[in-house]
Amino acid sequence: MPAAPPAAPEIDTPDAVLVVDFGAQYAQLIARRVREARVYSEIVPSTMPVAEMLAKNPRAIILSGGPSSVYADGAPRVDASLFEAGVPVFGMCYGFQLMAMALGGTVEHTGAREYGRTDLRVSRTDSTLFEGTPADQQVWMSHGDTCSAAPDGFSVTASTDVVPVAAFENDEKKLYGVQHHPEVLHSTYGQQVLEHFLYRGAGIEPTWTTANVVEEQVALIREQVGTKRAICGLSGGVDSSVSAALVQRAIGSQLTCVYVDHGLQRKGETEQVEKDFVAATGVQLKIVDAEERFLTALKGVSDPEQKRKIIGREFIRVFEQAQAEIVAEAGAEGEDVAFLVQGTLYPDVVESGGGSGTANIKSHHNVGGLPDDIEFQLVEPLRKLFKDEVRMVGQQLGLPDEIVQRQPFPGPGLGIRIIGEVTRERLDLLREADAIAREELTAAGLDREIWQCPVVLLADVRSVGVQGDGRTYGHPIVLRPVSSEDAMTADWTRMPYDVLAKISTRITNEVADVNRVVLDVTSKPPGTIEWE
């Protein structure tokens, strides 16, 4: 069996800020907020030794919140040597309390708690963190322990009715902390406080942009691929399209895009790829008809993880077949198609249990669903980016809005939007329902407001209905409209009732064997955006 493919080269980011994840639901949001301040950030697990963190040469380190009490057995800890390394550190919530304890301050389990919106009183509005913000401001709290005394050498700069030390600062050592969550929008001046730490406390220049990403990745791709050839699995979605455009910018005609018509696409998807993407980029495109192969492999399979892995495996096998065909068609002996380009994003890595020490939420076919004996080396130019950053890179590359602003669509396609076995009949049914929903959202001008609207078929569920004065026993369709910035967290979109009514009426009237349309009103967390 071939050895596992080597990892792609990493972006050289000397100004990186490390976000140490103590199990916080907002760790990814902190990283995003830092990037919004035009400073590159990465998430690392709290189990990473301090020496390894410092070996990354970070410009600053942020300690995230977390669900634990600092007094709980087995609660995450931080080595006090971190605060003597000369690297600026900013503690938030749990990270703030860990910093206080490690440096000799007092954190007490008083039983007094603060959750949600809280009034913060800033005692020093001229401090590094709070300059230019009001003395009274609203913040978002989530804690049960309380810091009652700051470490020696620290100035207390804010308090609440419950917490005497709600923020402290030590400019000499460049150590700062706040009890609240500045990364959430409910903390009115949170982004300003975070930027004050980055720019004033840590002295970082805001220079990280999507133009930097394009330049760095083009250089890395050329270094990685050299004179060999690459293929890209083009789905027509934002991620694969931007990945392909980036790689083509780097290696030109050495790239061939392979579009696998696996039968799991939405209505009109193949035609859109041929028309929009090829017209915009001029890339070489090979279309492979593999519908029968995928449906045969998925026959009788209902488990979502198994479906994802089967789809990932079949993708690779189709690519291996396409590799031989591309070389044969080119008539170039010895020209090796050695690289596979994928649109892996940072949320894919995090949710698959990589990159942050987090639990595996689900396998992504481009992260955790690849077979062990893959013969390609991976090129993943978007692996460290969030979705909105990918869109900005696409704009930087000159891709049209029809591609860049397209709603996210999962790599396994409609195969994971059918709850139950995937069959051709069920796919046709779901395709029609999905097309109706997309048409009506576009007609209502909601495309930009809604991040994504998965349409899900509950294939193994039937419900009683009445259509044409007769009793029916049809499938339910689920609408899952969500609003989000990066897919790490999401809320269900409050769509106008008349739009929902029109979608429901059209689906039940026009799609055979569907007699019920329901709305998913679950946020993420606790639910994921996709059902499988």
Side-chain angles (χ1 to χ4, degrees):
M1 181 178 294
E10 298 288 355
I11 298 175
D12 181 19
T13 49
D15 289 341
V17 170
L18 299 185
V19 177
V20 183
D21 184 4
F22 290 98
Q25 61 174 317
Y26 296 133
Q28 292 81 26
L29 186 56
I30 297 171
R32 271 194 39 77
R33 296 295 184 234
V34 173
R35 295 184 187 196
E36 287 174 6
R38 296 179 61 197
V39 176
Y40 181 73
S41 62
E42 287 185 15
I43 302 170
V44 298
S46 61
T47 52
M48 178 180 285
V50 169
E52 287 187 28
M53 294 182 195
L54 299 178
K56 291 178 171 285
N57 298 315
R59 287 293 303 274
I61 292 175
I62 295 175
L63 307 180
S64 83
S68 302
S69 164
V70 292
Y71 296 106
D73 292 338
R77 292 285 183 258
V78 62
D79 193 319
S81 64
L82 175 64
F83 307 112
E84 303 298 330
V87 178
V89 181
F90 187 19
M92 301 177 178
C93 193
Y94 185 79
F96 165 72
Q97 294 176 359
L98 287 179
M99 181 187 294
M101 288 184 65
L103 294 172
T106 304
V107 178
E108 298 179 294
H109 191 61
T110 62
R113 301 179 178 183
E114 287 179 318
Y115 293 106
R117 291 180 175 87
T118 304
D119 292 325
L120 183 75
R121 290 188 299 274
V122 179
S123 54
R124 280 193 50 195
T125 54
D126 62 343
S127 74
T128 296
L129 293 183
F130 292 105
E131 183 175 15
T133 69
D136 295 304
Q137 54 189 268
Q138 190 177 84
V139 298
W140 189 261
M141 291 282 194
S142 180
H143 68 96
D145 297 328
T146 298
C147 183
S148 57
D152 290 342
F154 282 73
S155 297
V156 177
T157 54
S159 62
T160 71
D161 289 339
V162 172
V163 181
V165 182
F168 55 47
E169 306 180 29
N170 186 324
D171 286 319
E172 182 182 351
K173 293 189 174 182
K174 299 187 180 299
L175 302 177
Y176 306 88
V178 295
Q179 179 60 73
H180 66 275
H181 287 275
E183 71 275 19
V184 303
L185 295 177
H186 302 299
S187 293
T188 312
Y189 295 90
Q191 186 67 14
Q192 192 169 337
V193 168
L194 175 59
E195 290 179 3
H196 280 173
F197 165 70
L198 296 170
Y199 305 156
R200 304 175 68 205
I204 301 174
E205 293 290 330
T207 58
W208 190 73
T209 66
T210 52
N212 300 147
V213 174
V214 172
E215 293 170 5
E216 290 166 349
Q217 280 299 331
V218 165
L220 284 169
I221 293 163
R222 285 173 178 164
E223 176 187 350
Q224 183 186 8
V225 177
T227 60
K228 293 188 177 181
R229 303 178 67 191
I231 58 176
C232 175
L234 187 65
S235 68
V238 179
D239 307 339
S240 67
S241 297
V242 174
S243 293
L246 251 179
V247 175
Q248 191 198 36
R249 168 89 46 110
I251 63 173
S253 60
Q254 293 168 242
L255 172 69
T256 299
C257 288
V258 177
Y259 178 80
V260 177
D261 189 353
H262 49 30
L264 308 176
Q265 297 96 333
R266 293 180 290 190
K267 189 174 182 179
E269 208 130 38
T270 301
E271 295 78 8
Q272 184 183 50
V273 169
E274 287 186 279
K275 175 185 154 204
D276 292 339
F277 187 74
V278 175
T281 64
V283 74
Q284 299 179 70
L285 178 64
K286 179 181 179 66
I287 297 178
V288 180
D289 183 359
E291 179 180 10
E292 198 63 45
R293 174 175 185 154
F294 277 79
L295 290 179
T296 299
L298 290 167
K299 185 177 177 60
V301 178
S302 296
D303 179 74
E305 280 294 285
Q306 192 178 355
K307 283 196 285 189
R308 284 178 178 270
K309 290 184 181 298
I310 288 171
I311 295 169
R313 181 194 71 210
E314 293 304 314
F315 256 101
I316 295 301
R317 296 304 169 240
V318 171
F319 281 127
E320 289 172 344
Q321 179 181 334
Q323 173 189 20
E325 292 175 0
I326 290 168
V327 173
E329 289 166 5
E333 283 188 8
E335 260 197 304
D336 211 4
V337 180
F339 295 90
L340 170 62
V341 179
Q342 292 203 131
T344 309
L345 304 191
Y346 200 33
D348 298 340
V349 176
V350 172
E351 289 195 343
S352 295
S356 68
T358 57
N360 186 328
I361 297 172
K362 59 187 177 184
S363 293
H364 292 260
H365 91 278
N366 54 347
V367 180
L370 295 177
D372 294 333
D373 59 346
I374 177 175
E375 295 181 358
F376 299 105
Q377 296 181 50
L378 299 182
V379 179
E380 299 177 309
L382 309 179
R383 189 179 176 87
K384 292 191 173 183
L385 301 183
F386 290 97
K387 177 71 79 172
D388 58 323
E389 295 168 336
V390 172
R391 294 190 198 280
M392 289 188 284
V393 168
Q395 291 171 335
Q396 184 75 27
L397 291 166
L399 294 178
D401 277 354
E402 290 80 8
I403 293 174
V404 174
Q405 299 301 334
R406 189 182 186 210
Q407 288 190 1
F409 187 60
L414 298 179
I416 59 167
R417 290 185 177 175
I418 293 176
I419 310 305
E421 182 185 1
V422 178
T423 67
R424 182 176 281 105
E425 293 74 23
R426 290 174 173 183
L427 284 165
D428 289 341
L429 184 158
L430 180 54
R431 255 190 286 272
E432 292 302 318
D434 175 84
I436 290 170
R438 286 189 289 138
E439 285 172 13
E440 294 303 330
L441 292 177
T442 299
L446 295 174
D447 285 347
R448 296 290 182 93
E449 180 181 333
I450 294 175
W451 167 270
Q452 190 176 0
C453 186
V455 177
V456 180
L457 170 64
L458 304 185
D460 290 341
V461 176
R462 286 185 178 270
S463 64
V464 175
V466 178
Q467 291 172 299
D469 296 325
R471 179 181 183 275
T472 62
Y473 199 50
H475 296 291
I477 285 285
V478 180
L479 302 179
R480 173 73 166 133
V482 296
S483 300
S484 180
E485 290 184 332
D486 51 34
M488 298 307 303
T489 59
D491 195 11
W492 65 279
T493 305
R494 276 66 170 174
M495 287 173 53
Y497 289 155
D498 60 332
V499 177
L500 287 170
K502 192 167 185 180
I503 292 173
S504 176
T505 299
R506 284 196 59 193
I507 289 176
T508 52
N509 283 349
E510 298 174 29
V511 182
D513 212 24
V514 173
N515 64 0
R516 193 178 298 270
V517 176
V518 299
L519 179 66
D520 183 342
V521 295
T522 312
S523 63
K524 175 187 179 181
T528 55
I529 293 176
E530 298 289 346
W531 273 47
E532 289 197 345

